[in-house]
Amino acid sequence: MSDVDTFNLKIIAGEAIVQRQELAAQLTFLGFNLIERNLNSGEDLIIDERSVIFLYDIFNLKNQVPMGNSVDSLMNHIFKLSQRYQRCCIVFENHNPEWNLPQSVQAGLQTLCAKLNCCDNMEISVKFSLSDENTAQLILVVTQQWSSLSPAWESRKEWESREWLLSQESRHENFLSQFPMLNPFISQLMLTVTKLEFIMQMSSDEMQDRFPWIPAPMLVRIRHQKLTNVQIAFCNMLRIRSHAIRKDATLAFPKRKAQYLP
């Protein structure tokens, strides 16, 4: 791996990635600090507020009757991710010794690529991997390419600086991440700026002003998201008044004065 530059970066990883010991070790060697979360939308790695990577066993497209069902299922998964992210990299993995794909898998890939070309609500790239080491290297390369694409960060150094990204998930982060358009990365950023009770009371203009790193399409969805009675009751249950704040790690908010915020 000497021909690939390493760096030190916190990223959010799903349980499936953390449980893959060899892949997790390779990513750690390359400089990734994996922050584990239970990612309900099927993500594997959240790189930043608008970028996600997920891994897919290419032989899951094999022997499907009809073959199109597996492709449609994958497309539905991609559509679900597009509600939370603007960029996605799909890494197709094949851990067999030889890279010989049966005709059914090749046909499935052709159908998938044709459908991906019609997907205009998210930027999608496709990679192929033959080993955990190869997968880790691809993740590093893609991450480095994405490091300068977010308009919300003034520099790569600021993009990489993630002291605010907490290892333990708070109840407030978990609550925000239940909204269809919010992912754990954005939820933690929002809680870095202010408390949950203030987030829930913000007007559209206030939200746009305080959270400039939230992609515009996601901000529109947040504006139109209606709280159900259950969500409102849960929000009221979690609301913490200033006189009631305790030294509880699950209730503490990260404090950071972000340079790019007004």
Side-chain angles (χ1 to χ4, degrees), residues 11 38 52 57 63 66 73 84 98 101 107 125-126 130 138 158 173 178 189 199 203 205 208 210 215 231 233 235 241:
I11 59 175
N38 181 15
V52 66
D57 185 343
N63 295 329
S73 176
R84 292 187 169 199
E98 297 182 359
L101 298 180
S125 60
V126 175
L130 295 174
L138 288 171
E158 185 182 57
E173 177 198 332
Q178 301 307 311
L189 268 173
I199 294 173
S203 66
D205 291 340
Q208 186 172 15
R210 297 298 298 277
Q231 288 172 317
C235 182
R241 302 297 182 184

Side-chain angles (χ1 to χ4, degrees), residues 49 153 164-165 172-173 175-177 179 181-203 206-208 210-215 218-219 222-223 253-254 256 260-261:
E49 75 279 0
W153 306 92
W164 50 268
L165 191 53
H172 291 189
E173 177 198 332
F175 171 73
L176 286 176
S177 298
F179 286 84
M181 76 295 296
L182 295 181
N183 61 63
F185 193 99
I186 287 181
S187 297
Q188 282 213 39
L189 268 173
M190 295 175 77
L191 292 170
T192 301
V193 177
T194 188
K195 298 178 181 180
L196 176 62
E197 61 180 291
F198 299 130
I199 294 173
M200 303 308 296
Q201 296 170 5
M202 281 184 180
S203 66
E206 288 174 329
M207 189 168 292
Q208 186 172 15
R210 297 298 298 277
F211 309 132
W213 25 260
I214 298 181
M218 296 182 188
L219 191 58
I222 294 173
R223 292 171 181 171
F253 295 99
R256 182 178 70 101
Y260 53 88
L261 294 175

